[in-house]
């Protein structure tokens, strides 16, 4: 009997391998894809199907001996029994080969694993944090940055990134704003599209392209009070108009996977939310790819007070449309019995498994499960020139010039006596930022190194007081010094003797990111005090900010002549900053998030509604929507950023002042470079629908173009205005364009008041 079953299984395996051999990877839409998926599915037991829906974190030293005890041993056993469909956090071509070998050679059906990793802004070579990249508004550079990240990570065995994060957020207290594209839906959608294209390329079966993930579906960026994982309550108008569009843009780019989110949305955890996953994503939007849970988010439905226990959580999640369980281990434990008890339909399991298998076919893993496991390729690609060049290009484009009074910048390249002050100026770790994948600690080019290698000035570096304690690689708690002023006097002395002071201040690389919400957004520790003390002896200060979110820098904005927002710029940070400070690159970034004057203004965002009692600045009234102790206006608005040159806008024209629904017209403006150097301006188009069936924001970004002009040069910049610029989603989720009056604004930021009127019939 035993002999007979062995023969049967061997025959099945033979049949499958015959089916898999010599096949080309199959693409979406190819009828052969469904046929192959169906035929494989028909050979699978219910246990094996459920196994495909199970994703484990890397759980042992993969190339070492197999684990013998505890949780790791159980997971290892699951892997060998074909009860694991995917693993995350296993990296390196040899490690991935080792786990893949078990899946392919030791399990009954030999189905390869898909290998996930958080490739958020690079892998071993880092690009700027995503928020910084968004500040470039440069879609081609952003796509390239994702493309090189895919190249470097795929060479190390990864074939699935959990990026891009496309959550819109208006709350700088939320540490994960560093990981997104900022506060605006239009810009966020454009960037979501490019990032997906960059990661996935045009052909997923190529070894240098990887699956992308649109995350976190949905509403995660609207957590109450900016505290991570917190409750989200938003109306459907916000959901359809502000939160969903970047996910739809990712879908347009053919994103293959979605990840749900930790938060509850209007009372229902996203992971167990069938409105989100079944009705909207897989229903209305006809998404054919895979929905993976967030890390343990299925189990988290228990403390959310939504699931009684693990089994109930598995039932709720799968019925709501979550296809793969990341690290809760609840699917593998309970789904078989849930199907047998009739609480989960086997057809829903089949649907989830088909989605997973399809992706494995599209990646070409059945053709060659080791295609991402070539150690020669890994060596050749890791840190290659192409990647370094792309991240440097991205870094310089991400820098935003916030202030430059008196033309302190750019600095001359030689003959100057510069005092460089601040711990972050020599920090080679913080510029790597959060979500740093496998980059080596302390490997970024520091500002000190960048300035020394790009100019011939006399640079005296003084750290000032220690702000952050030691190297904080993946520190869960960043220790900030509030008391020890050692180093203050040396910094002040250096400033006294210098022509120009460059101060690099801001956040440690781990003060933003997941779980890193903050209530105080000022400069941490003694940095503000240091800034003010140095200012007393030498006000010629260039403040370079390094941070993962908008900070409150109201004092600096008032006193410091030059302010450069340099974020956490990744591996080439110091070189990019030096290029901007020396004028080798004329800054062109524009803020993707509003900078508040104080934390009390948060959430603050440009596309707010007017209220019934809008701002009447200058009027001595009490009963209007305002604060008694702060203006409503931000410190720096969304879309804001200066250049070493200046631009003039004139001749704003609309091809007609009236348009029929369904029609289109042209809006044009003349842009002139009125300064002395070549520069790039991002011309921004905003729309205001004055009266509508749902109150519309006072301005909404609907287009932008980047224009580079030589000194004295001018150019007519044209935008097409059509229904896409004028419509919105009703609270029921229907797209409409309504007749009536609109105002169209053009300018270099969201505060521009240059506008024309348009009437829609
Ligand atoms: C939790 C995060 O929310 C998610 O974005 C990430 O992809 C997973 N952990 C895996 O690391």
């Amino acid at each position: 009997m035993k002999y007979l079953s062995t023969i049967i299984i061997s025959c099945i395996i033979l049949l499958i391998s015959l089916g898999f051999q010599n096949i080309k990877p199959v693409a979406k839409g190819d009828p052969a894809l469904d046929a192959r998926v169906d035929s494989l599915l028909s050979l699978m037991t219910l246990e094996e199907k459920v196994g495909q829906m199970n994703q484990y974190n890397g759980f042992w030293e993969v190339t070492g001996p197999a684990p013998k005890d505890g949780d790791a041993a159980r997971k290892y056993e699951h892997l060998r029994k074909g009860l694991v469909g995917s693993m995350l956090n296993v990296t390196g071509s040899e490690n991935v080969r080792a786990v893949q070998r078990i899946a392919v050679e030791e399990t009954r059906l030999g189905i390869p694993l898909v290998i996930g990793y958080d490739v958020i802004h690079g892998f071993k070579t880092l690009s700027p944090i995503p928020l910084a990249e968004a500040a470039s508004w440069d879609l081609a550079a952003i796509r390239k940055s994702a493309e090189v990240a895919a190249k470097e990570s795929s060479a190390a065995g990864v074939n699935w990134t959990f990026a891009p994060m496309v959550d819109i957020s208006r709350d700088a207290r939320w540490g994960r704003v560093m990981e997104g594209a900022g506060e605006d839906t239009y810009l966020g959608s454009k960037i979501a599209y490019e990032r997906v294209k960059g990661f996935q390329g045009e052909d997923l079966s190529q070894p240098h392209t990887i699956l992308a993930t649109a995350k976190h579906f949905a509403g995660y960026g609207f957590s109450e009070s900016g505290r991570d994982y917190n409750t989200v309550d938003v109306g459907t108008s916000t959901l359809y108009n502000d939160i969903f569009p970047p996910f739809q843009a990712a879908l347009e780019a053919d994103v293959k996977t979605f990840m749900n989110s930790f938060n509850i949305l209007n009372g229902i955890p996203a992971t167990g939310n069938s409105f989100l996953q079944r009705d909207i994503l897989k229903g209305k939007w006809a998404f054919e790819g895979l929905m993976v849970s967030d890390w343990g988010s299925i189990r988290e439905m228990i403390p959310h007070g939504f699931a009684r226990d693990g089994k109930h959580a598995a039932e709720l999640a799968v019925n709501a449309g979550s296809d793969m369980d990341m690290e809760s281990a609840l699917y593998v434990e309970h789904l078989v019995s849930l199907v047998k008890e009739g609480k989960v339909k086997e057809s829903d399991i089949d649907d989830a498994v088909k989605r997973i298998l399809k992706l494995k076919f599209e990646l070409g893993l059945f053709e060659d499960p080791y295609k991402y496991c070539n150690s020669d390729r890994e060596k050749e690609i890791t840190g290659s020139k192409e990647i370094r060049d792309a991240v440097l290009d991205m870094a310089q484009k991400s820098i935003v010039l916030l202030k430059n009074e008196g033309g302190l910048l750019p600095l001359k390249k030689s003959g100057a006596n510069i005092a460089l002050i601040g711990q972050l100026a020599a920090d080679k770790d913080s510029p790597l930022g959060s979500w740093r994948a496998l980059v080596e600690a302390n490997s970024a080019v520091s500002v000190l190194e960048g300035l020394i290698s790009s100019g011939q000035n006399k640079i005296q570096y003084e750290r000032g007081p220690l702000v952050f304690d030691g190297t904080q690689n993946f520190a869960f708690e960043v220790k900030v010094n509030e008391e020890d002023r050692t180093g203050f006097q040396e910094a002040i002395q250096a400033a006294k003797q210098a022509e120009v002071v460059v101060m690099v201040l801001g956040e440690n690389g781990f003060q933003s990111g997941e779980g890193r919400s903050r209530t105080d957004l000022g400069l941490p520790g003694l940095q503000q005090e240091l800034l003010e003390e140095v200012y007393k002896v030498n006000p010629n200060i260039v403040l370079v900010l390094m941070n993962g979110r908008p900070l409150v820098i109201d004092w600096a904005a008032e006193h410091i002549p030059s302010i450069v927002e340099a974020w956490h710029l990744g591996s080439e940070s110091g070189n990019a900053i030096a290029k901007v400070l020396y004028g080798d690159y004329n800054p062109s970034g524009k803020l993707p998030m509003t900078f508040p004057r104080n934390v009390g203004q948060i959430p603050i965002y440009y596309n707010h509604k007017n209220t019934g009692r809008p701002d009447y600045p200058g009027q001595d009234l009490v009963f209007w929507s305002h604060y008694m102790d702060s203006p409503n206006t931000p410190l720096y608005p969304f879309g804001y950023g200066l250049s070493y040159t200046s631009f003039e806008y004139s001749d704003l024209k609309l091809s007609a002042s009236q348009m029929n629904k369904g029609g289109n017209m042209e809006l044009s403006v003349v842009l002139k470079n009125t300064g002395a150097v070549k520069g790039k301006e991002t011309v921004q188009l905003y729309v205001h629908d004055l009266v509508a069936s749902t109150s519309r924001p006072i301005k909404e970004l609907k287009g932008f173009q980047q224009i580079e002009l030589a000194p004295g040069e001018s150019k007519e910049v044209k935008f097409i205005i059509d229904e896409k610029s004028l419509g919105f989603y009703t609270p029921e989720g229907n797209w409409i364009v309504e007749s009536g009056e609109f105002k169209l604004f053009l300018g270099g930021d969201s505060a521009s008041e240059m506008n024309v009127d348009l009437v829609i019939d």
Side-chain angles (χ1 to χ4, degrees):
M1 192 60 196
K2 189 172 168 234
Y3 186 58
L4 187 65
S5 64
T6 313
I7 294 181
I8 292 171
I9 290 175
S10 307
C11 288
I12 292 173
I13 293 170
L14 182 70
L15 272 173
I16 296 165
S17 47
L18 282 178
F20 295 160
Q21 263 167 22
N22 302 322
I23 59 170
K24 294 260 170 308
V26 272
K28 187 180 159 188
D30 181 342
L33 176 57
D34 288 332
R36 284 195 187 122
V37 169
D38 287 343
S39 98
L40 178 53
L41 192 74
S42 69
L43 297 168
M44 295 171 78
T45 63
L46 180 57
E47 283 75 5
E48 284 165 337
K49 290 179 192 172
V50 167
Q52 286 301 304
M53 299 165 71
N54 182 31
Q55 185 185 51
Y56 281 148
N57 186 37
F59 44 83
W60 86 102
E61 270 308 318
V62 252
T63 48
K68 294 214 167 28
D69 308 303
D71 199 36
R74 195 176 64 97
K75 288 178 169 179
Y76 182 72
E77 209 37 50
H78 282 174
L79 181 62
R80 296 184 57 227
K81 284 187 175 151
L83 299 181
V84 182
S86 170
M87 287 183 70
L88 74 153
N89 297 337
V90 181
T91 55
S93 55
E94 288 313 310
N95 286 334
V96 171
R97 180 180 287 278
V99 289
Q100 197 67 290
R101 197 198 54 74
I102 298 174
V104 172
E105 292 177 25
E106 294 188 33
T107 69
R108 191 181 76 98
L109 294 176
I111 301 174
L113 299 163
V114 55
I115 305 288
Y117 199 78
D118 289 287
V119 182
I120 307 296
H121 55 114
F123 187 63
K124 288 198 168 169
T125 314
L126 292 192
S127 222
I129 56 168
L131 183 66
E133 291 195 357
S136 74
W137 297 51
D138 187 322
L139 300 177
I142 291 173
R143 183 189 287 216
K144 181 74 187 173
S145 160
E147 189 189 304
V148 296
K151 223 177 205 181
E152 201 176 54
S153 54
S154 61
V158 173
N159 44 40
W160 180 11
T161 176
F162 305 124
M165 184 187 100
V166 304
D167 298 308
I168 296 300
S169 181
R170 300 160 169 178
D171 198 327
R173 292 169 299 181
W174 190 49
R176 294 194 85 165
V177 295
M178 56 75 52
E179 204 184 329
E183 75 187 37
D184 184 62
T185 295
Y186 181 86
L187 179 63
S189 300
K190 293 280 173 203
I191 291 175
Y193 183 92
E194 298 300 329
R195 287 194 167 132
V196 171
K197 286 284 183 199
F199 288 128
Q200 294 191 169
E202 295 303 333
D203 179 359
L204 265 178
S205 73
Q206 292 297 315
H208 56 264
T209 54
I210 60 180
L211 304 171
T213 305
K215 73 186 188 186
H216 305 85
F217 200 59
Y220 188 37
F222 279 69
S223 60
E224 279 178 4
S225 53
R227 178 153 53 77
D228 210 356
Y229 319 122
N230 203 4
T231 303
V232 176
D233 251 297
V234 289
T236 51
S237 182
T238 302
L239 204 55
Y240 286 111
N241 286 293
D242 303 298
I243 294 176
F244 282 166
F247 288 98
Q248 290 167 283
L251 207 50
E252 238 173 79
D254 200 22
V255 71
K256 297 293 179 180
T257 79
F258 265 58
M259 183 186 288
N260 55 38
S261 53
F262 289 127
N263 56 283
I264 58 170
L265 176 72
N266 303 335
I268 314 283
T271 308
N273 197 316
S274 77
F275 161 71
L276 284 175
Q277 299 178 108
R278 291 228 182 265
D279 301 351
I280 296 291
L281 181 62
K282 293 179 178 176
K284 207 167 175 178
W285 298 351
F287 173 59
E288 290 176 5
L290 151 73
M291 167 60 88
V292 65
S293 82
D294 202 344
W295 178 287
S297 68
I298 298 181
R299 192 178 289 279
E300 287 185 16
M301 291 200 291
I302 304 170
H304 271 308
F306 190 68
R308 279 185 305 277
D309 52 28
K311 186 168 180 184
H312 190 206
E315 177 189 336
L316 291 167
V318 80
N319 286 341
S322 295
D323 301 312
M324 186 179 274
D325 172 3
M326 181 192 283
E327 261 298 301
S328 283
L330 292 175
Y331 278 7
V332 72
E333 206 175 321
H334 299 296
L335 282 190
V336 171
S337 44
L338 284 166
V339 170
K340 289 187 177 150
E341 289 161 22
K343 291 188 174 142
V344 168
K345 290 191 273 190
E346 185 157 357
S347 57
D348 282 344
I349 302 285
D350 286 352
D351 176 65
V353 176
K354 280 187 194 178
R355 291 167 184 269
I356 296 163
L357 295 178
K358 258 189 197 174
L359 295 183
K360 294 184 176 183
F361 276 108
E362 283 184 63
L363 286 169
L365 285 170
F366 287 104
E367 185 198 38
D368 177 6
Y370 305 111
K371 62 192 290 189
Y372 305 92
C373 304
N374 177 336
S375 52
D376 290 339
R377 185 174 156 246
E378 185 178 11
K379 270 188 220 116
E380 182 195 321
I381 286 181
T382 305
S384 68
K385 184 169 179 317
E386 183 200 4
I387 299 176
R388 294 293 305 192
D389 288 352
V391 304
L392 174 59
D393 180 58
M394 189 74 257
Q396 64 193 16
K397 288 175 171 163
S398 303
I399 294 172
V400 184
L401 181 64
L402 295 178
K403 190 175 172 192
N404 194 22
E405 254 174 37
L408 197 54
L409 288 175
L411 303 172
K412 54 184 180 185
K413 274 194 159 170
S414 60
N417 179 4
I418 297 176
L420 178 64
I421 295 175
Q423 182 182 3
L424 290 172
D427 190 340
K428 292 172 66 59
D429 201 61
S430 285
L432 300 170
S434 198
W435 282 118
R436 52 177 59 192
L438 284 189
V439 74
E440 198 184 309
N442 294 304
S443 63
V445 177
S446 70
V447 178
L448 176 60
E449 291 169 329
L451 284 180
I452 289 173
S453 65
S454 333
Q456 282 93 43
N457 289 312
K458 179 170 176 292
I459 295 179
Q460 183 178 353
Y461 171 62
E462 288 297 341
R463 190 194 67 197
L466 190 73
V467 183
F468 309 106
D469 192 10
T471 297
Q472 317 245 359
N473 199 16
F474 206 68
F476 284 99
E477 193 196 343
V478 176
K479 291 199 197 86
V480 180
N481 167 35
E482 308 274 354
E483 283 159 20
D484 182 357
R485 288 175 173 71
T486 312
F488 244 88
Q489 286 317 314
E490 291 82 345
I492 290 168
Q493 264 326 102
K496 267 187 193 158
Q497 285 149 18
E499 236 170 286
V500 184
V501 184
V502 176
M503 294 188 75
V504 186
L505 307 178
E507 292 185 311
N508 170 288
F510 289 106
Q511 277 183 312
S512 55
E514 187 180 346
R516 272 81 175 204
S517 296
R518 292 177 63 210
T519 58
D520 177 356
L521 299 184
L523 297 168
L526 298 167
Q527 296 180 104
Q528 180 66 33
E529 189 180 323
L530 179 68
L531 179 62
E532 293 183 25
E533 290 301 315
V534 169
Y535 178 78
K536 282 183 196 156
V537 300
N538 188 347
N540 271 349
I541 298 176
V542 175
L543 171 61
V544 176
L545 292 168
M546 246 183 215
N547 44 301
R549 51 153 68 83
L551 293 177
V552 171
I553 49 156
D554 50 328
W555 186 90
E558 196 183 332
H559 296 90
I560 302 300
S562 294
I563 307 178
V564 174
E565 174 51 78
W567 318 102
H568 292 140
L569 287 179
S571 299
E572 289 285 343
S573 177
N575 287 334
I577 293 169
K579 275 178 183 287
V580 164
L581 297 186
Y582 281 138
D584 292 336
Y585 184 83
N586 186 355
S588 55
K590 299 276 187 177
L591 293 178
M593 255 188 115
T594 304
F595 270 46
R597 295 175 189 273
N598 50 63
V599 175
Q601 289 184 312
I602 296 174
I604 181 168
Y605 49 100
Y606 83 95
N607 51 346
H608 59 83
K609 309 277 166 38
N610 205 27
T611 80
R613 296 185 175 198
D615 193 357
Y616 294 115
Q619 292 204 37
D620 195 13
L621 296 174
V622 172
F623 302 106
W624 57 282
S625 181
H626 77 307
Y627 301 100
M628 292 177 74
D629 57 355
S630 164
N632 286 0
T633 53
L635 189 62
Y636 295 115
F638 172 83
Y640 173 83
L642 304 173
S643 160
Y644 292 149
T645 190
S646 49
F647 296 100
E648 185 185 272
Y649 287 75
S650 63
D651 295 323
L652 180 62
K653 276 199 305 257
L654 203 51
S655 50
S657 58
Q658 197 124 354
M659 185 175 111
N660 292 330
K661 280 189 200 168
N664 64 61
M665 56 174 33
E666 200 177 83
L667 178 69
S668 63
V669 74
V670 175
L671 179 73
K672 183 171 184 195
N673 180 343
T674 50
V677 287
K678 187 174 83 174
K680 189 164 65 183
E681 169 72 325
T682 303
V683 180
Q684 301 160 40
L685 162 70
Y686 295 88
V687 171
H688 182 195
D689 182 349
L690 297 188
V691 179
S693 55
T694 311
S695 254
R696 303 303 307 144
I698 59 155
K699 271 177 194 171
E700 288 181 281
L701 183 70
K702 292 294 176 185
F704 62 88
Q705 287 181 45
Q706 296 201 303
I707 311 289
E708 191 160 56
L709 296 175
E713 193 187 355
S714 43
K715 190 177 172 188
E716 191 176 24
V717 185
K718 296 175 182 168
F719 289 89
I720 298 294
I721 307 294
D722 59 16
E723 292 206 347
K724 274 197 255 127
S725 338
L726 305 171
F728 62 91
Y729 288 97
T730 65
E732 296 73 40
N734 301 315
W735 177 258
I736 50 164
V737 180
E738 293 182 343
S739 310
E741 286 174 47
F742 291 76
K743 270 194 189 306
L744 308 178
F745 296 81
L746 270 188
D749 61 52
S750 63
S752 167
E753 286 303 331
M754 185 182 209
N755 69 79
V756 285
D757 295 330
L758 168 66
V759 174
I760 300 297
D761 272 344

